[in-house]
Amino acid sequence: MQNEVKKITRLVDEVTSLLMRSGSNDINIRIKRDSELSTITIIDYNSAYPNDEISSLNDVLNIQRQCEVEEFYWELMGDDSHEDELFLVGSMVDKATVNKIDNDLHIVMYRYLTKFKK
């Protein structure tokens, strides 16, 4: 379970770092956990994240979860290029939604604790 906490904090770190590099100044993070699911909600208020990159961000966060990649490489997050880090984030979540509502970017990532449940 300790590794699960570390994985969730790394996911949050990678996404918030991406947003801050794009100029974001007001980010809200909510993490909700229960016995089956962790839900990470990140709202970037008055988002500076480029509109033309939102679809690509949604795509990379919704690649199929890859437990093999996760088990071997999650500790390396933060050490590689930004594209590689986002690939690792996408391979560690089961599903994600990325939507811009007014000027706010809403990112919700879902991570089931049972690896094969979706």
Side-chain angles (χ1 to χ4, degrees), residues 5 9 30 49 61 66 98 101 104-106 113-115:
V5 170
T9 59
R30 179 175 183 240
Y49 195 77
L61 292 180
Q66 300 176 31
V98 180
I101 301 171
D104 304 334
L105 184 63
H106 295 249
L113 297 180
T114 306
K115 293 180 183 176

Side-chain angles (χ1 to χ4, degrees), residues 61-79:
L61 292 180
N62 278 293
I63 62 172
Q64 183 175 357
R65 184 170 175 185
Q66 300 176 31
C67 296
E68 310 78 32
V69 170
E70 173 182 327
E71 290 306 314
F72 291 108
Y73 295 108
W74 72 270
E75 292 184 54
L76 298 177
M77 292 177 82
D79 294 336

Side-chain angles (χ1 to χ4, degrees), residues 3-16:
N3 276 349
E4 186 63 24
V5 170
K6 288 180 181 180
K7 290 175 186 179
I8 290 170
T9 59
R10 295 256 174 125
L11 292 170
V12 169
D13 180 57
E14 291 305 323
V15 176
T16 55

Side-chain angles (χ1 to χ4, degrees), residues 21-104:
R21 282 192 303 268
S22 73
S24 299
N25 294 313
D26 188 2
I27 301 171
N28 186 28
I29 300 164
R30 179 175 183 240
I31 301 169
K32 183 178 180 185
R33 298 174 57 207
D34 62 34
S35 62
E36 294 184 13
L37 175 69
S38 294
T39 304
I40 303 164
T41 303
I42 300 173
I43 302 174
D44 177 15
Y45 297 101
N46 294 311
S47 181
Y49 195 77
N51 287 332
D52 60 338
E53 293 182 25
I54 291 173
S55 178
S56 296
L57 178 60
N58 187 63
D59 290 345
V60 76
L61 292 180
N62 278 293
I63 62 172
Q64 183 175 357
R65 184 170 175 185
Q66 300 176 31
C67 296
E68 310 78 32
V69 170
E70 173 182 327
E71 290 306 314
F72 291 108
Y73 295 108
W74 72 270
E75 292 184 54
L76 298 177
M77 292 177 82
D79 294 336
D80 292 329
S81 72
H82 305 310
E83 295 81 16
D84 291 342
E85 291 166 357
L86 285 179
F87 170 78
L88 287 174
V89 170
S91 68
M92 291 176 62
V93 297
D94 292 288
K95 182 175 97 171
T97 60
V98 180
N99 297 300
K100 193 145 191 190
I101 301 171
D102 297 322
N103 289 326
D104 304 334

